[in-house]
Amino acid sequence: MARLNVNGVVREVDAEPDTPLLWVIREQIGLTGTKYGCGIAQCGACTVHIDGAAVRACSLPLSAVEPGQKIVTIEGLAPGADHPVQQAWAELDVPQCGFCQPGMIMASAALLAQNPRPSEAEIRQEITNICRCGTYNRVLAGIKRAAERGQSG
Amino acid sequence: MSIDIRAPRPSRRAVLAGAGLFSLGFHIPFAAQAATLDAAPAAPEVNAWVVVKPDETVVIRIARSEMGQGTLTGLAQLVAEELDCDWSRVTTEYPSPGQNLARKRVWGDYSTGGSRGVRDSHEYVRKGGAAARTMLVAAAAKGWGVPAAECRVERGVITHGPSGRSTTYGAVAAEAAKIEPPKDVVLKDPKDWTIAGKPLKRLDTLPKLDGSQVYGIDLKLPGLLNAAIRDCPVTGGSVKSFDAAAVSGMPGVKRVVQVGDSAVAVVADTFWRAKTALDALPIVWDEGPNAQVSSETIAATLREGLDAEQAFVGNKAGDVAGALKGAAKVVEAVYGVPFQNHATMEPMNATALWTAERCEVWTPTQNGEAALAATADAAGLPATACEVYKIHLGGGFGRRGATHDWVRQAVLIAKELPGTPVKLIWTREEDMTHGRYHPVTQCRMRAALDKDGNLTGLHMRISGQSILASVAPQRMVEGRDPVTFQGLNPGGPEAAIGYTIPNILVDHAMRNPHILPGFWRGVNLNPNAIYLECFMDELAHAAGQDPLAFRLKLMGNHPKHRAVLEAVAEKIGWDSKPPEGVYRGICQTMGFGSYVAGAAEVSVSDKGELKIHRIVAATDPGHAVNPQQIDAQVAGSFVYGLSAALYGACTVKDGRIEQTNFDSYPVMRMDAMPAVETILMPSGGFWGGVGEPTIAVAAPAVLNAVFAATGKRVRQLPLKDTDLRRA
């Protein structure tokens, strides 16, 4: 049994130590907003926050998560889903199929937490998640809008 | 985001709206709830398309699937427009394929592909909305004992003019359901639209922002087990043996089952445990007759087809051989495109529950009816004893429509565990190596120019794979695959060539490798536009003419093709000099009923690195249902088209696809994404799609700009295989 702090709740999970955190979150904990897209940290659909930093959970074994670390998933990003990134996404109608968007939002939120006013070049460099529907330009606009809001707010 | 919307003519202020989208769809029956098949609606339906609840919620039924392209919202807009309801109260639901079967296909075709979601169903869904409106008004009028003609409707509120009395849709819906449906209804003139045609927000956005949207892969059912599968790496091969005992003691493992002739699955309590055991499972394959096939052997077969005597004719006029013989100059080039995987972000998956009497499947599908047929077939049960629940799709792009191989597998696995629901999830590796690939083709272009540089003859010989021969042989016409000629047809409302060339021959030598093809977003329009539009650029340079002017000379009889091309030329500033070091390319095509053109600005560094600065795209889809979603589709189309043009290739070695994941099958990411400026210019009078056509102009616009920048013609895709450094 391992203990995980997910979205502020400490849970006991019964999984083999080499199980990727992604699958522990999805299958043992039952939070399915974090997606499986590639399993090799390429696409970012599984992005969660660990102590505030964006992490691709598909490639992090359960054994590598330390007991005191705080994991946040898309379900726990903000009460009422009102994080500035989520608000900007709603205003700009960013998602198409939406499958990559939880990871996209988590990566964007982590970027803004670290760098509240990123340049466009920094955004393009840092957000490497894959979207096959091709929402990149609205994602870019969404991050800029959320950044502005963060500054003014 | 940049969108330039142009009304058909200055006098008409309202922009026609309408998203002819690649797909559509909507919101799921929740797993547990869905399991009870005939869950009666909380309120009686007014008709098949419309349910109004006592609280004024309007539920619009959507038959097509939503897979990202906004079809769900577009179709709801069309119904709501005729219904005159309050858009802020609209929700949607999918009627199940089994309900459609039981009700004699009252919702029509469920197939969501070919950019047909809106354009094929707009008329009957609008009539559904209009008929419901008529019935709701009639019910109110009957209650008041007044003529219906004296009543008007605004946002779901019915008012009797003379008396001033009013009521609501919600209040009269139950009575309306008892009214005889009108035999005929008059639809609004699109210029009067107030809901359709407007850039409304999508109806399905919010659950996609907080993780609550349930995709097929997320489905939960009581007692659910999970399966991971491995199909023979070589298509056409089979399972020789496997050692189930080697893994049966691993954590969580419940069963190891053979699936059909060619696959093995492990069923466990969780997917990760199923996959872990599958990875450890010794399997011996009989790789069958295709194990020696490689990309090289396929290419050689296609090259032979370039000169073959027998070929199916798609477009023929005049005497091409004579024109080539009498030409002042003959220009020739051979182009080619590789296999492409759809690579939907959500890998294939399905959940199946089988008993001897009944089989139910929950799956993301572009065609619920086809999924139901596949379910019944695999289950060994009549379709009336089966049901499919359409779950939201994490991308479709054509992979989840024509063949339901993953549904068959899920049902076959579930048959081994009667009464237990089993969810099958493909790994990315399984998905990448067992796709239904964009077909591989080559094309030899040969053209005749007269002494003044006029194009007098063109022979396009396409050699390669037919999609229909594999996927839908019943749609072949006397052995010919008409889809092969997309964008090259002599005329017609679907995909006509935009040039008048006095002597033309477009033909197809069919060569079908064992790698299975499928409808890949944009289908044959993509390679055909690359072949024709890059070669037109070659011809213009051979004739010493401007690529735009060279084309326009041939487009006098093709005003809609010409209009979109001129629009992008104007917007990108074709007549002016680009910034230092920046080069331009231009192109146009027609497909899926819409006219599209693209223009690109690129630069290439001394190291041969390509940067795409700017894309301008113009679309004439006839009617535009949701302009902001069309803008999203145009931008997204460039991502899909450029991913393939720049990086995408599935290659074959030892009979199998070599690429296994996004590390070996790279796709476009944000760092490479150019700004996209969309010109939407619906000219009215026809309905075209918007989910696919623009993909076809992505590659030729950029490739022509790359030539302008480097003097290098990229004729074999993807571009990454070409060294772009100046010689």
Side-chain angles (χ1 to χ4, degrees), chain B residues 337-342 435-441 465 467 486 515-528 530-531 640 644 650 665 695:
Chain B
V337 300
F339 293 113
Q340 300 283 353
N341 188 290
H342 297 81
R436 293 291 186 275
Y437 300 86
H438 189 300
V440 62
T441 58
Q465 203 166 18
I467 300 173
Q486 242 177 353
I515 299 292
L516 297 171
F519 297 108
W520 189 96
R521 194 177 184 192
V523 196
N524 286 92
L525 193 66
N526 302 335
N528 291 346
I530 292 167
Y531 301 155
Y640 213 70
C650 294
Y665 186 75
I695 295 170

Side-chain angles (χ1 to χ4, degrees), chain A residues 14-16 18-20 23 26-28 30-33 35-40 42-43 45 56 74-75 81 86 89-102 104-105 123-125 127-141 143, chain B residues 1 67-69 200-202 205-206 208-211 213 215 217-218 220 226 251 270-273 341-343 345-347 392-395 397 426-429 520-521 628-629 631-633 635-636 639-640 643 661-663 667-671 673-676:
Chain A
D14 177 18
E16 288 67 59
D18 59 352
T19 307
W23 292 100
R26 289 181 57 84
E27 303 202 287
Q28 270 82 15
L31 294 173
T32 56
K35 303 303 185 196
Y36 166 69
C38 70
I40 58 168
Q42 276 282 321
C43 78
R56 294 188 173 175
I74 184 72
E75 292 91 345
Q86 289 166 311
W89 255 235
E91 289 162 14
L92 297 173
D93 240 6
V94 172
Q96 291 191 32
C97 90
F99 193 81
C100 73
Q101 297 297 339
M104 204 65 96
I105 290 167
I123 296 170
R124 288 179 181 275
Q125 190 67 34
I127 302 300
T128 58
N129 298 38
I130 293 173
C131 169
R132 290 288 284 158
C133 296
T135 60
Y136 298 126
N137 284 348
R138 290 199 187 187
V139 168
L140 184 63
I143 295 171
Chain B
M1 228 171 314
M67 52 195 172
Q69 277 60 49
L200 303 182
K201 293 278 183 64
R202 294 173 64 123
T205 294
L206 293 180
K208 294 176 179 174
L209 305 182
D210 63 4
Q213 176 71 58
Y215 297 83
I217 199 171
D218 303 327
K220 293 172 185 168
N226 290 271
T270 69
F271 171 75
W272 185 255
R273 285 169 173 160
N341 188 290
H342 297 81
M345 288 310 299
E346 181 193 24
H392 198 85
L393 292 77
F397 313 129
W426 286 16
T427 59
R428 175 58 61 192
E429 288 77 13
W520 189 96
R521 194 177 184 192
Q628 71 98 352
Q629 276 304 301
D631 177 50
Q633 289 314 298
V639 176
Y640 213 70
S643 287
N661 208 317
F662 290 116
D663 52 349
V667 297
M668 182 179 264
R669 300 176 196 247
M670 200 191 285
D671 60 346
M673 181 69 193
V676 176

Side-chain angles (χ1 to χ4, degrees), chain A residues 49 52 77 83 85 103-114 127 143:
Chain A
H49 296 172
L77 178 62
H83 188 279
V85 170
M104 204 65 96
I105 290 167
M106 294 304 281
S108 302
L111 168 65
L112 291 176
Q114 204 174 39
I127 302 300
I143 295 171

Side-chain angles (χ1 to χ4, degrees), chain A residues 40-56:
Chain A
I40 58 168
Q42 276 282 321
C43 78
C46 63
T47 304
V48 299
H49 296 172
I50 298 184
D51 291 341
V55 172
R56 294 188 173 175

Side-chain angles (χ1 to χ4, degrees), chain B residues 67 111-113 364-368 370-371 393 396-404 406 471 519:
Chain B
M67 52 195 172
S111 171
T112 313
T365 171
Q366 293 176 237
N367 188 341
L393 292 77
F397 313 129
R399 178 64 181 91
R400 291 185 154 111
T403 48
H404 285 82
W406 73 94
V471 169
F519 297 108

